[in-house]
Amino acid sequence: MVSIGAAVKEPGSTRQNKTGSWRTFKPILDKDKCIKCVNCIMFCPEGCVNKDYDIDYDFCKGCGICAEECPVKAIKMERE
Amino acid sequence: MIEVRFHGRGGQGAVTAAEILAKAAFEDGKYCQAFPFFGVERRGAPVMAFTRIDDQPIRRRYQVYNPDYVVVLDDGLLEVVDVFSGLKDGGKIIINTNNGVETINGAEIHKVDATGIALDILGVPIVNTILLGAFAGVTGAVSIESIIKIIKETFSGEIGEKNAKAAKLAYDAAKEGH
Amino acid sequence: MVIKVMSANQAIAEAVKLANPKVIPVYPITPQTTISEYLAKYVADGEIDAEYIRVESEHSAISASLGASGTGVRVFTATSSQGLALMHEIIFAAAGLRLPVVMADANRALSAPLSIWNDQQDSISERDSGWMQIYAENGQEALDSILLAYRISEDKNVLLPSMVCIDGFILTHTVDPVDVPEKEKVEKFLPPYKPDHAYLDPKRPMSIGTFTDPGYYMDARHDMELAMERAQKIIAKAHTEFSEIFGRDYDFVEKYRSEDADLIIVAMGSICSTIKDVVDELRDAGEKIGLVRVRVFRPFPTNQIYEAIKGASKIGVIDKNVSFSVGGVLTTEIRSKTGLDASGFIVGLGGRDIKPSDIKEIIEKTKNPTKHTQWIGLNKEEL
Amino acid sequence: MEISDKEFLAPGHRACAGCGATIGVRLALKVLGENTVAVSATGCLEVITTPYPETSWEIPWMHVAFENAAAVASGVEAALKSQGKTDTTVVVFGGDGGTADIGLQALSGAMERGHNLIYICYDNEAYMNTGIQRSGATPYGASTTTSPHGKESFGEDKPKKNMPMIMAAHGVPYVATASISYPEDFMKKVKKAAEIEGPAYIHLQQPCTTGWGYNPAKTIELGRLAVETGSWILYEIEEGEFKVTYRPLQRKMVKEYLDAQKRFKHLTDLEKERIQSHVDAICIELKI
C-alpha cells in the first residue's frame, strides 16, 4: 500500500539503506594522530563521521574525501 | 422577453450601460441578463453589448439577433455598422446624435443629444448613462428610479450624482417628446 | 439570501471569498482575468485574509498553489486556455500529490489559430490528469460549484483537486442574478481544511513529492483511481447536504424533460440553457424531446448517464471540443462507457455562437443516427 | 559560528561516492537548523534523497517539478506567512539546470516578488542527473555529452551564464557565490541569507566526480582548485555592495584545475591559455 501522494512521513528513513556495501576502500582513522580539525566531519557526503570522530561504516561509501582532506594524514584508505 | 442591443465604441461604456440596464430591471423585479460581444477591440473600435429582460428566469445564451430596442452611443457608427440589423417590426432605436438621422425600415428613431447633455453636466462626452435615461423614457421597459439607483451604485460620489442627474434630464426630455 | 446581478467570474470570486483560502496565486488571462481582479480587490480591501501572489506565469500559479497546499492550507487559483495548457505538467502533479487545490477554468479555445473565445477544449484536454471536473451552466452554479469543489476535494476519502469550468464570455462576462449565500451557511457546509497526508511542518517533518520506482508508481496511480471512484459517493453526499443547507439541488447529471423523451440531447455547460428553451418549444409542438446535462464530467458518472438516456431511441451528444479523427470527447466516452449508440456533434469552437436553429438542426440530424461526427455551424463554403 | 552537530540529511541516500551536492546540503542545513522547510527542483539531489518509501530529509521537504522550485517555494512561504509562521526558514535547492535554464523564469518571479526565502543553486555545471548534458552553467571548453569535443569542436563554446549577477540585477538584498570547499565562508553566507528579510540567492559551486571526471576523493580538492586558480570567485553582494570574500594568497594557474578533470582533457595548450587570459582579466579587475 502506497501512502497518499507517496509522501514519506518517516524522516531520515534512508538509514534503512546501508550504503556501506558500496565500499571498495575503507577509511581507518588513527585517533592518536587526529587533531580534531572537523574537516572529515564537514566534508563527508554521507555525514557519517560523528562529533567523536567515529566513522559509521554502515553508510561510508569509501569515497576517500576524509583521507584526502585530513591535514595530518590520520586517515588511511585500506582495501576492504 | 425584451431584448436590447447596444452599439458603441470601445471605452464609451456600452458594456456598462447594458449591465446597468439589467441591474435596474432586476431592481424593478424582473429577471435579467447582460453580456458583451467581447472582441479584442481596443479603445475607439465598434463594440456591442446586449441586455435581456423578462418576467421569467432567462436561460438562452446566444447573442441578440432580433432586438426590440437598439441603443446607439455614437452616430458615427452608422457609417460602419448596420445598427438596424434584425430590429423587430415596431422596434425602437435610441441614438445619440445632433444630426439628422433618416428613418429606416419603419423603425421608430429617437434622437438624443446625449453628447450635449454630457458636456453640460459631466464636462466629458460620456453618454452611456444619459442614453439609459432616454431609454427608460422612450420604452418604459425599466423605471427611471431603478436606473438612477444603479447608476449611483455603479459610480460613487459626485460622479454618480452627476450621471444620475444627466440620466434624469434625458428621461424627462424623452417623456416630453412623447 | 442576497441576490445580486453579477457575472459568473464575480460569482466565483464571491465563492472564493466565502471559502476563504489562505493563498491565492493567479496570473491574468482572458477571459479569466476579472476573477483575478475581483480577488485582488477583496484582498486589498481586507475582505479576504489571504496571501495574494502575483506570479509571473500560470505555470507558477499552479506551482505556488501546490507549495501552499503542501503546507496544509486551502488555496485557490484560476486560469483559461493557454494558461491551463501551460500548467499541464503541474496539473498532473497536483493530482498525484493528492493536493485538494480548487481552480476555476474560464473555458476558452486553444491556439492555433489564436482565439480568445469559448469552447471546452482546454479543460477537456486535461481529463486524464486526475482532477475532478464540474461544468457549470450559469453563474449561480459556478458559485455553488466552487463551494462543492472544496468540500469534495478536501474530503479525506478523495483528496483530488477540482476544476470548476465555466464557458468563457458566455458565462464569465454575462451578468445575471446570483444568490450569494450567507457566511454562516458556508461555514456549516465547508469545514476547515485539516490535512494529514501532506503537511509541511517542522514539528512533524515529511517528504512530499518523492521519487518512486516501478515497485510503487503504479499502485500510487491506482490509489488515485480508487479515490476517483470513492468521490462518486462523496459528491452525492455533498449534493444532498448542499441542498439541505442552501436549498439548491445538484446532481451528476441534470435531467430536463427527458424522462419520457424519445430523443435526448446530451451536453455540458452554458449551451444547455439555450437547449432547454428549444426543448420547451418543441415539446409545445408535440415532440418528445429532452435534455440530459452532464454536470460532473470527472469522475465520469457512467451509471447516472446510462440511466438518464437509456430509454430514448435517439441520442445526440454535443461537444465543444474535438479529439481529431475520433470525435467529440463526451460523445465517445458516452458511447464507450454506456454501450449505447449516440450521434456526435461538434459546435461552438472558438466562440462561434450557437443559436436555437443550430440546436434544432442537431435534433433533426439525431433523428437519422450516424457514427460520423457532424460539425454544426460551419461557414457555408466549408461544408 | 554556531553549527549544529545534528545531521538534517540522513545517510543511506543514493548519491555517488564523493558527491559534492550532499555536502553542500548538509552544511547549509546545519546552519539553518530544524525550523526549516526545504523545496527541491527535480535533479540528482531529489532523486538520490527521496527514493520512496524512504527519505533522507529530517526536515519538511517538497518537490513538484524541474522548473518550478522557486514558484513552489513562493507558495510555501506565502502559506507559512498566512499562518503566522514567519520564523520558519524556506530554502530551495536547485541544480544549475533547474536554476539557470529551465527554472530561470520561476526564479526570477520569486526573487522579484520579494518572498522571504533562500535559493541555493548547487552548481555542478551540467545536467548530471540525466547523464552530463550541457547546461547554461557549463563552462567554456568543457566536454559534455551534448557539447562533446570532436574533430570540429573543443566542447562547450560559450562562457558560463552569470547567474549570480542576473540575480543581483533583481535587486534582491543578498546574493553570494560559494564553494563546498570553503565551508566556513559558505555557512557564513547561509547564515546571512537566513537573517536577511527578503529573498537571498547563493550560487554554490560543487564539483561532481562523475560529470567532471576525477577520483571521488578529490571533490574538495577540485572545488579548492577552482577558487585558488580564480576560475570560481567567492563574493557576496549585500544590499548592492559587492565584496570578494576570499582571495587566494597566490593565484594558481588555471591549467592545474583543468588538467585535473576529464571534461577538459581534450583542450590544447592554446585553448587553456585562452581560458587563463579570460580568468586573468576578471581577477585583475577584482584584484585577485
Side-chain angles (χ1 to χ4, degrees), chain C residues 17-82:
Chain C
K17 193 202 286 183
L18 289 164
N20 203 16
K22 298 303 281 181
V23 181
I24 304 171
V26 277
Y27 187 77
I29 181 169
T30 304
Q32 170 275 120
T33 307
T34 57
I35 298 179
S36 310
E37 291 172 345
Y38 283 119
L39 292 174
K41 186 79 174 108
Y42 296 160
V43 172
D45 289 340
E47 291 181 38
I48 307 183
D49 178 21
E51 291 293 319
Y52 185 96
I53 313 181
R54 293 156 192 88
V55 283
E56 82 298 334
S57 70
E58 288 90 353
H59 195 284
S60 284
I62 188 68
S63 297
S65 296
L66 267 51
S69 183
T71 72
V73 301
R74 188 173 285 162
V75 300
F76 177 80
T77 189
T79 192
S80 183
S81 181
Q82 307 303 117

Side-chain angles (χ1 to χ4, degrees), chain C residues 92-287:
Chain C
F92 276 67
L97 291 170
R98 308 295 295 276
L99 296 171
V101 174
V102 170
M103 172 163 69
D105 179 50
N107 283 116
R108 166 184 151 186
L110 282 166
S111 195
L114 185 62
S115 167
I116 60 164
W117 291 277
N118 167 249
D119 64 37
Q120 296 170 345
Q121 191 71 55
D122 55 354
S123 53
I124 288 290
S125 298
E126 301 299 332
R127 70 188 183 279
D128 301 333
S129 62
W131 283 58
M132 295 181 286
Q133 289 193 346
I134 298 172
Y135 287 79
E137 183 185 339
N138 52 45
Q140 183 69 63
E141 190 179 338
L143 186 154
D144 294 344
S145 296
I146 292 286
L147 302 177
L148 281 159
Y150 278 115
R151 165 74 185 259
I152 297 157
S153 281
E154 291 170 3
D155 191 294
K156 64 181 188 331
N157 291 302
V158 180
L159 294 171
L160 290 170
S162 286
M163 204 180 288
V164 174
C165 305
I166 53 170
D167 285 317
F169 295 113
I170 302 168
L171 294 183
T172 60
H173 287 64
T174 298
V175 300
D176 52 16
V178 174
D179 171 11
V180 181
E182 290 86 355
K183 184 98 183 150
E184 301 74 48
K185 282 186 180 175
V186 173
E187 278 165 6
K188 200 171 152 200
F189 177 71
L190 191 59
Y193 175 46
K194 281 185 186 156
D196 187 56
H197 70 295
Y199 186 43
L200 295 170
D201 178 10
K203 290 190 192 74
R204 196 175 50 135
M206 70 168 75
S207 293
I208 301 171
T210 58
F211 171 74
T212 54
D213 68 17
Y216 296 99
Y217 180 86
M218 192 162 166
D219 303 276
R221 300 308 277 190
H222 182 244
D223 199 38
M224 291 164 67
E225 173 72 7
L226 296 178
M228 197 61 100
E229 281 174 26
R230 285 195 298 272
Q232 299 256 11
K233 269 191 187 158
I234 306 299
I235 292 169
K237 195 165 160 252
H239 283 153
T240 304
E241 277 186 44
F242 192 91
S243 171
E244 285 165 5
I245 295 174
F246 301 102
R248 283 187 291 277
D249 297 325
Y250 292 107
D251 204 341
F252 290 88
V253 300
E254 180 194 353
K255 290 170 274 191
Y256 187 78
R257 306 185 80 168
S258 63
E259 301 289 353
D260 64 338
D262 293 332
L263 187 152
I264 288 178
I265 297 296
V266 187
M268 297 200 294
S270 63
I271 189 181
C272 293
S273 293
T274 303
I275 298 172
K276 285 173 185 173
D277 275 4
V278 174
V279 166
D280 285 356
E281 189 188 328
L282 295 179
R283 281 271 177 181
D284 287 349
E287 290 206 52

Side-chain angles (χ1 to χ4, degrees), chain B residues 19 22-23 26 31-36 38-40 59-63 65, chain C residues 3 5 117 138 169 173-177 256 273-274 277 280 353-356:
Chain B
E19 290 191 6
K23 288 174 181 175
F26 185 70
Y31 289 93
C32 65
Q33 181 189 73
F35 56 104
F38 204 97
V40 286
R59 292 186 303 212
R60 64 186 59 175
R61 294 199 181 270
Y62 51 93
Q63 290 164 33
Y65 292 97
Chain C
I3 297 181
V5 177
W117 291 277
N138 52 45
F169 295 113
H173 287 64
T174 298
V175 300
D176 52 16
Y256 187 78
S273 293
T274 303
D277 275 4
D280 285 356
D353 203 24
I354 304 155
K355 300 181 283 291

